[in-house]
Every structure is written in C-alpha cells, then in structure tokens.
Amino acid sequence: MDNENSWSAEGKVILVTGGAVGIGAGLVRSLLCMNAMHVAFLDVLEREGGALEGELLNKFGALRAKFIKCDISDEEQLSTAYSQVLDKYRRLDAVINNAAVIWEKEGFYKKTVDINFTATVTSTLKALEVMKADNGGSGGVIINMSSLVALQQNTHSPVYRATKTAVLQFSNHIATHESYERTKVRVITVCLGPTDTGHLLRHNSKDSQNLAQEDRQRVTSAVTGIMDVISRAGSGSTWIIAGDKPPVDVTKNVREGFQTISMATDFL
C-alpha cells in the first residue's frame, strides 16, 4: 500500500450523498463502524433518512450522524447542506458522491443529468474548495460514483450511461498529479457493476428494468469494495467493483483506451 494514500475513517467528518438507502446507507453505517467522528448524509427520502438517523444515533450516540433532506440537483440546497456540516464541525475530510437515478422518459431525463452529473460536479468543486491544502484545508478524499456502463457500449438507458461516462471523464481530468500535489485531495472514480439496490427498480421504465435484470452484486459487496478503495487508492485512479468480487484497478486500461481514441485526431 502506498502510505501517501493510506486513509482511515477514524476521527473524520464525512459527507455522503444519496445516503438514506441502499449503498449510501451501507456506506454511512460502515464509516461509523470505523469510528468516523461524524457522517452527514443527504437524500430526498425524508422518511427513510429520518429512520436511519434514529437508528444510528441510538447505536453510535449523539452527534455521530446527521440526515439532511436535500435535493442535490438544487445548488442552493446542496450549498446549504455543506454549510450545515461546516458550521458545526469547521472541517470536512471526505465526500462520497453516491446519489444517482435512472429517469429516461421524456420530461424526466434532465433530472438524471442534474443528479448524476451536474450535482456530482458541483459537490466535487465544493469539496475541493473546502478541503484543499492550498486554501487552508487539510486535504482529503472524494469518491465519485460512475458505473460499469460507462466502459461499455449498449443501447439501453442512453442518458444514464452518458451521465456516468461524464462522471468518469470529469473525475479523471480534475484529478491530475499536479492538482493533488497542490491540494492534497484525492479524487477517485468507482465504476460499480449492477448492484441489488432499490433505485434500479424505483422507476418503471423499460430501460431501468433492462439494467435491473442484469446479474447484480450484493450491496454489502459494493460497500466493502468502496471502503477498500477509499482507504488506499491513488488520486485519478479508476476502479471496477462488480460481481461480488474485490475492487479491480483499471486506471491503466482506461487511460490507454482514451489515448487510443485520441490518436484518431492525428488524422484530422
């Protein structure tokens, strides 16, 4: 393990988007089990978020967890959520941008773009501003959740696939070596394979059903893999977590793939 990238949740203040159910809820529980000082989790699901907060406060004690109802696609709400955490703890050590939806139907597809991509960009930039060492921060780590579909070509769920490809590209481009040397903030991309979460089935569209019917890994496998990645992965790296298997570092493959594609511009 590269000691520079070695990370522990103990004593950290962490923010998780999409944290009320599924993988997000699993991450919140796992981080607290690893002695995180405080985990704030954002979601629009008020009933589920409130229930999880009650469970966590009962198990871990007061002030350890905080549910914040937030539509992350609304920049004002997202900014307010960040301010709540910073006003209370005066620091932020890690952000996991986990929230995602699959809305492909006409009239709703913009919400998929707004939540999956635009909000991820906004949250990443806010986290960088707070945590970066060259702005008085202590460094930190940002995990951006892409998907295995970002690395595949398929006709199903084109908007969802496009947003996850955009997350992969954005995260890789913002996580340069020069940026890390200056900010001491690692930005890591996780490409999750199909996982047994409710959001795949929440919207009754043909495209979401097609994704949901693929072989799915357990939520616990995804959570365990993400916690492994956050503890040791280098900035700018890309990881696949799929099929209930340990994380696989595909950084070299992704970079070589895009390099091959970019070579086509030599003929223009």
Side-chain angles (χ1 to χ4, degrees):
M1 182 186 295
D2 184 348
N3 289 332
E4 186 177 52
N5 299 322
S6 179
W7 186 90
S8 168
E10 185 169 1
K12 301 294 198 301
V13 176
I14 302 163
L15 185 149
V16 179
T17 71
V21 296
I23 294 169
L27 289 168
V28 172
R29 291 189 179 98
S30 185
L31 289 163
L32 289 170
C33 285
M34 294 179 178
N35 295 319
M37 181 170 73
H38 177 78
V39 180
F41 57 103
L42 317 184
D43 213 302
V44 293
L45 300 176
E46 189 168 14
R47 181 176 61 84
E48 292 87 342
L52 179 59
E53 181 185 62
E55 170 201 322
L56 298 172
L57 295 180
N58 183 58
K59 181 176 181 179
F60 296 101
L63 303 180
R64 296 288 303 282
K66 175 66 176 176
F67 167 62
I68 302 173
K69 184 181 179 183
C70 177
D71 178 355
I72 63 168
S73 67
D74 183 321
E75 187 171 353
E76 184 176 348
Q77 289 189 39
L78 185 57
S79 295
T80 299
Y82 265 81
S83 295
Q84 284 185 246
V85 177
L86 294 171
D87 288 347
K88 183 73 175 179
Y89 292 94
R90 303 295 177 184
R91 58 185 281 197
L92 187 60
D93 301 294
V95 172
I96 303 178
N97 289 311
N98 166 72
V101 296
I102 305 173
W103 280 338
E104 298 278 328
K105 293 194 297 184
E106 186 176 354
F108 292 95
Y109 67 89
K110 288 183 179 179
K111 200 68 172 178
T112 297
V113 177
D114 290 343
I115 292 174
N116 295 7
F117 180 59
T118 306
T120 295
V121 172
T122 302
S123 181
T124 298
L125 296 177
K126 286 182 182 298
L128 273 171
E129 189 65 23
V130 170
M131 295 191 290
K132 63 183 184 178
D134 56 337
N135 191 40
S138 301
V141 57
I142 300 168
I143 297 284
N144 285 339
M145 221 65 73
S146 180
S147 170
L148 195 58
V149 303
L151 304 173
Q152 302 168 331
Q153 286 196 315
N154 194 296
T155 58
H156 298 316
S157 305
V159 177
Y160 176 77
R161 289 173 185 271
T163 62
K164 290 303 185 178
T165 302
V167 168
L168 173 65
Q169 286 278 52
F170 165 73
S171 303
N172 283 347
H173 283 298
I174 203 170
T176 63
H177 176 72
E178 293 76 16
S179 173
Y180 175 74
E181 288 299 305
R182 187 178 71 255
T183 66
K184 300 303 178 186
V185 177
R186 291 181 294 144
V187 181
I188 302 159
T189 309
V190 169
C191 295
L192 283 179
T195 306
D196 193 14
T197 60
H199 89 274
L200 285 176
L201 299 172
R202 194 172 298 153
H203 306 291
N204 187 26
S205 71
K206 181 178 179 181
D207 289 317
S208 61
Q209 288 173 4
N210 284 327
L211 279 175
Q213 288 168 1
E214 298 179 29
D215 291 335
R216 290 173 280 162
Q217 66 183 341
R218 298 185 300 273
V219 168
T220 52
S221 298
V223 170
T224 300
I226 293 165
M227 295 309 302
D228 180 18
V229 168
I230 197 174
S231 72
R232 64 186 175 93
S235 188
S237 60
T238 302
W239 298 74
I240 289 176
I241 302 174
D244 292 314
K245 297 177 182 178
V248 177
D249 185 352
V250 293
T251 309
K252 181 179 179 182
N253 307 72
V254 170
R255 289 175 180 170
E256 288 179 349
F258 282 117
Q259 185 176 17
T260 299
I261 294 171
S262 67
M263 287 174 60
T265 61
D266 294 340
F267 299 100
L268 296 178

